[in-house]
């Protein structure tokens, strides 16, 4: 066990996998001697060389296409897209190439790639450097979407993703990069498709992920002082997500809040809310509530950004409203 | 070029021709679902490519390359059955005309989003290089693909990283109804490669001898580790647009009669005493008969088992059924 | 009133708008003398010339970018993307350019473009020619998504969209192109953001759109024979959708089915279901049910495609199950 | 070039320099949110472009063109305030550094997804042509953008449709940390235009006299209806990467001392007796003082009204608030 940041945990995972398996290689913009915009690949260029830590031009479609092609012939590419907002420039490659390949060729090919990317807002990055993009991809069968919230999960899930045979979109929330936590040393993996009960409680379930898990935990802590017992479920895998853990929790508490940083309409929050409402109909004592971003792009000005992104207080209020129902 | 090779190329061309003619007939009868693009008129290009690749190479066929899929070594009936959407097809009927892959012969399948494969091919080329194989990745694209951003991203990266990628650009003059020169800065697409300082040639795609020679040379170049190569095959597709013919009569006459690939090959062989009409007729008849057996196979094959509908979405994970 | 096909209705709308407003122009692949893959622009090239009916190369990103730029300086472009499946190649232009422009420049620019595209499956088109893509865009603030189900709405909504100042993704379901219906002559518009009660009923509400509206109506007809009275709400505008009409209907019937051709997870169906469940909590006599596509790409083989796409019978069964709850 | 023009260019360069230096200082103090890219070292390019465009032209600035936004005619305090995220900014603080548009001077705003604007510029050029205006659309892009698919889609369409688009490619040698020649088939990006048979030149982007002359000629060419033009400005950015400097000391010395744009301009003016040091110092001082007033304005401006957060998502429609 070692205390390290989210960035270091990711770096550690890449290092372990590259040392162990020479099929693993990285490609992306400025991931080489610079070590990536956020330092996730720092040191790997020196250690593994430019063949396996490849700087690319600003060719996002080619980055993903290259990864897919290499994966088809046995490699384990880990492409980086610097900011998740840029995924629109390679959307087709992800959705129509990586995600469909295994199915349309009926199992003859697979595309085990892990697309790492920095997502999320809250730092004045403006409309093109701040988005939560899971909603863009939630309706894409064949794709796995992962979004860890702790350094331990970041490391263990990145390892699990690299070992998994499916194409993965691996979301790293920028607000979490500097978060520190205890991380197991050496190689281990945290299972995909398994949500994590980040806090146990009995009165209400909050389903969250990434940064919102931290907001939910903070809200839960404050609510505890009001004698409200909150269970926080950290989804971790966003597609296909772990309905079982979520539904069991809601069956127990009878109340649910779904927290997601992206806009409410058409987002992950809607999927979780709909599934809970359909499957826990008879257990629900109050309507599920979604606590999400407002239906706007993300403004540059920090005070404005604060208005549109959901936070701990919004979650708290939703819990209180739900209990008052 | 030695006589046997030319004869072999001629047989390959007939495989393409007979395959597509049979397929078109069955499509009109309603036996082939979806949309149909045929390689009729482009037989020489496909034969030339098939002639130069080996099974350990990768190739990404375009939407008119059904014949090439067979020439690569997949049993014809398995390709035909795929196009009929049958259980016995190479992808169990799940891919169809635009997605008939067969890794065992290096067929990496088409991707119906034109240009997408140009990016995928980079990865195969890169991996082969990293794996120290001297195989290559060939990607077959129409002139229409020259408009796509991936065209540029692919050529630039292949050139920069000196990847073993062969670009086979089948310039048949049109993207559906739009003339290549009307939507691109040049109608001579091999010129585009100048931006990347990439080896690049234009060849008469209806002259199978020339096309095969140039393709072989390009493959050679790539195998020597010198980087990518771009070939523009000038040719013409017989198929017009869905709603009919739109091209000038004189143009049609030139390509379908005067400069027709089968005729050019025949003329060459007769002139060079490689084969006489009787031999050539026999090749045609043999191939045609064989194609009929593939069609019969496809027609008689069962549809895919319904459980295939939800199989292989994720590797190792099941999805919900109704 | 005139009987015409969906294609003719769209063609009529374009013709009317081009005749009336010279700022309106079309661009896309083979929309000129060929008239488009499905004939929607037929005759317009001859009538309005190649300047206003522009054939483009296969440059989807440039098609949308060009439309956006022209719209910024006062034009009213109507770009066509031949198949909706190809929208992945211009996703960034739609999501980060067209949809955000008005907001990020705080109202100084707008991007009134109408992206027409052929969507939907059921004809053996295979994985890249059959998708229902509204789910890809549902989480994108600033974008309008429209999907009519009748020739009358197709014409009236296309006119409304061209006159609207927002960027619109206009989905034309391929299975509806040949559907015929009565269409008002001359210029008229059908309002955006207003769902349509396609059939009145009292026992259960089916919320649908595009082809699924027809499947729902067919199911409703058959269910009527079983004395089940079904109300069918045709959304028509998918983003932002008309919550009021939907919620009023469900408040009345107390039961809801949401039918959507796309895969269930992360789709439009989830958004509608979640909203109904949250807002009609006390009215609901049974859980909302989503009748959607299975979580797979779309296979080429027609019998397999039939397995994964939802149809009338699936809707019927869902209604019966809901009533049996 | 006549003396007054050069003096004017020199003043413009100082606007860029002083603006960026003031901004950088405030950024380090924590007064400027988000990320910061500065145009330091690229003053001559921006002055040259500003010198040739008129207010009815459209331009799409890149992420280092803050100074150009002011040179185009927007009051400096409104640009500064935007970068501070203030209510008084051109976009009420909603756009920030990467999205500061001002249609009144033809500033169409940046788009932080590099390359995207290359497609948007096509539309403006096309519309101006359809509207029979003789204005043009200029798009400013870095060398890094040359990797993007939109680069190709844009150049191809502009050339094919002969659109009035001016491509200003600011080749400062690097995309963040990656040298232009390491990720592209050529480090001389004007060569890329050969694929499109587009008029194309490379110019010393630190020599404001040359840069201005070439830009003016290109603009002239476009206004004559001859189609697009591509200019590659060879220059160098002072800003390294976020975590510091990574470029060789000799390279730094060359660009920051020997071949520095202010110095080159001063040398030119002194040699040609256009101005003496005193005059030049005065220009600098005047501009610097003015920039300080803009900074003060920005600092003292209020943050945007919170209602702005949900304003202008849709034209004419409201969105839900909390
Ligand atoms: C990205 C993309 N845009 C549009 C299409 C629709 N489409 C299919 S084939 C075709 C024309 C392609 O022309 P070309 O590449 O010259 O091939 P040809 O059919 O002439 O052999 C078009 C536009 C597509 N499949 N993919
Ligand atoms: C499509 C896209 N990919 C990546 C980025 C991240 N990014 C921002 S600036 C930059 C480098 C751009 O280099 P260049 O165009 O040469 O501009 P410079 O900063 O050198 O002026 C990168 C990679 C981006 N903004 N957009
Ligand atoms: Mg063609
Ligand atoms: Mg640069």
């Amino acid at each position: 066990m070692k205390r390290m940041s989210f960035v270091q945990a990711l770096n550690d995972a890449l290092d372990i996998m590259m040392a162990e398996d020479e099929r693993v290689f990285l490609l992306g913009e400025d991931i080489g001697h610079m070590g990536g915009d956020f330092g996730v690949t720092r040191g790997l260029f020196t250690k593994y060389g430019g063949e396996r830590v490849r700087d690319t031009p600003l060719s996002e479609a080619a980055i993903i296409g290259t990864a897919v092609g290499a994966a088809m012939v046995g490699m384990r590419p880990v492409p980086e897209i610097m900011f998740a907002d840029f995924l629109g420039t390679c959307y087709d490659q992800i959705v129509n190439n990586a995600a469909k390949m295994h199915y349309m060729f009926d199992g003859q090919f697979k595309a085990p790639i892990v697309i790492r990317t920095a997502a999320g807002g809250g730092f004045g990055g403006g409309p093109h450097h701040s988005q939560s993009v899971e909603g863009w991809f939630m309706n894409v069968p064949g794709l796995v979407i992962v979004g860890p919230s702790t350094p331990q999960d970041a490391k263990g899930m990145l390892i699990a993703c690299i070992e998994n045979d499916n194409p993965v979109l691996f979301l790293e929330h920028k607000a979490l990069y500097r978060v520190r936590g205890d991380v197991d040393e050496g190689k281990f993996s945290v299972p995909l498709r398994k949500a994590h009960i980040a806090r146990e409680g009995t009165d209400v379930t909050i389903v969250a992920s990434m940064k919102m898990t931290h907001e939910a935990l903070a809200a839960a802590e404050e609510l505890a002082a009001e004698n409200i017992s909150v269970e926080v479920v950290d989804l971790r895998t966003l597609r296909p997500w772990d309905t079982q853990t979520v539904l069991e929790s809601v069956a127990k508490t009878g109340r649910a809040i779904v927290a997601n940083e992206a806009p409410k309409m058409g987002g992950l929050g809607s999927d979780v809310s709909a599934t809970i409402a359909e499957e826990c109909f008879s257990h629900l004592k109050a309507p599920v509530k979604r606590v999400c971003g407002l239906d706007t792009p993300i403004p540059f000005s920090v005070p404005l950004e604060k208005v549109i992104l959901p936070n701990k207080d919004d979650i708290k209020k939703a819990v209180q409203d739900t209990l008052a129902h | 070029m030695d006589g046997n090779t030319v004869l072999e190329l001629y047989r390959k061309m007939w495989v393409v021709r007979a395959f597509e003619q049979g397929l078109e007939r069955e499509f009109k009868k309603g036996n082939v679902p979806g949309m149909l693009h045929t390689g009729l008129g482009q037989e020489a290009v496909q034969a030339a490519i098939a002639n130069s690749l080996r099974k350990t190479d990768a190739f990404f066929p375009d939407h008119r390359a059904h014949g090439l899929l067979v020439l690569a070594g997949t049993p014809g009936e398995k390709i035909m059955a795929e196009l009929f959407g049958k259980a016995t097809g190479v992808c169990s009927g799940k891919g169809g005309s635009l997605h008939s892959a067969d890794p065992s012969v290096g067929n990496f399948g088409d991707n119906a989003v034109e240009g997408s494969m140009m990016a995928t091919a980079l990865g195969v080329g890169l991996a082969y290089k990293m794996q120290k194989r001297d195989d290559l990745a060939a990607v077959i694209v129409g002139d229409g693909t020259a408009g796509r951003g991936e065209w540029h991203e692919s050529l630039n990266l292949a050139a920069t990283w000196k990847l073993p990628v062969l670009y086979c650009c089948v310039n048949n003059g049109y993207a559906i109804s739009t003339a290549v020169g009307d939507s691109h800065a040049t109608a001579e697409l091999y010129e585009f490669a100048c931006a990347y300082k990439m080896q690049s040639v234009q060849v008469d795609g209806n002259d199978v001898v020339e096309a095969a020679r140039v393709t072989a040379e390009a493959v050679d170049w790539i195998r020597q580790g010198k980087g990518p190569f771009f070939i523009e095959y000038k040719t013409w597709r017989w198929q017009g647009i869905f709603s009919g013919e739109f091209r000038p009569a004189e143009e049609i006459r030139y390509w379908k009669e005067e400069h027709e690939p089968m005729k050019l090959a025949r003329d060459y062989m007769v002139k060079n005493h490689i084969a006489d009409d009787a031999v050539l007729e026999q090749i045609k008849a043999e191939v045609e008969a064989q194609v009929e057996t593939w069609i019969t196979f496809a027609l008689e094959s069962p549809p895919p088992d319904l459980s295939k509908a939800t199989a292989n979405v994720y590797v190792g994970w099941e999805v919900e059924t109704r």
Side-chain angles (χ1 to χ4, degrees), chain A residues 22 25 27 51-52 54-63 65-70 72-75 92-93 96-97 99 101-110 140-144 164-166 192-193 239-240, chain B residues 60 82 90-92 94-95 99-103 107-111 113 115-117 119-124 126-131 133 148 150 153-154 156-157 161 308-318:
Chain A
E22 64 176 15
F25 74 99
L27 72 169
E51 273 272 302
R52 291 181 66 200
R54 288 194 163 255
D55 278 333
T56 66
L58 280 78
S59 302
E60 280 78 8
I63 291 170
T66 300
V68 171
M72 290 173 89
V73 294
M75 305 299 282
D92 173 68
Q93 289 288 342
N96 282 328
N97 198 6
M101 154 139 349
H102 189 63
Y103 183 84
M104 73 188 187
F105 298 142
D106 198 32
Q108 296 182 100
F109 282 109
K110 57 190 184 189
V140 179
L143 188 67
V144 181
N164 189 278
D165 276 339
N166 293 293
L192 304 183
R193 303 182 72 184
R239 180 180 231 283
Chain B
F60 292 82
E82 184 64 31
V90 272
C91 300
S92 318
K94 285 165 78 172
H99 317 272
S100 308
D102 179 1
N107 167 5
F108 278 55
D110 188 13
N111 178 317
V113 186
S116 172
M117 301 183 302
T120 324
L122 292 171
V124 176
L126 175 64
Y128 284 176
K129 203 173 161 179
M130 291 174 80
Q131 293 163 352
R133 290 169 58 162
R148 287 296 322 285
E150 260 120 330
E153 297 196 7
S154 181
N156 180 53
L157 213 50
W161 288 353
K308 277 287 180 194
T310 46
N312 290 323
V313 176
Y314 289 99
V315 183
W317 301 343
E318 301 295 314

Side-chain angles (χ1 to χ4, degrees), chain A residues 213-232:
Chain A
T213 299
H214 297 267
E215 301 286 333
L217 287 169
E221 192 60 35
E222 292 185 16
L223 289 162
E226 302 176 21
N227 271 328
I228 299 171
S229 167
V230 174
E231 178 144 312
V232 177

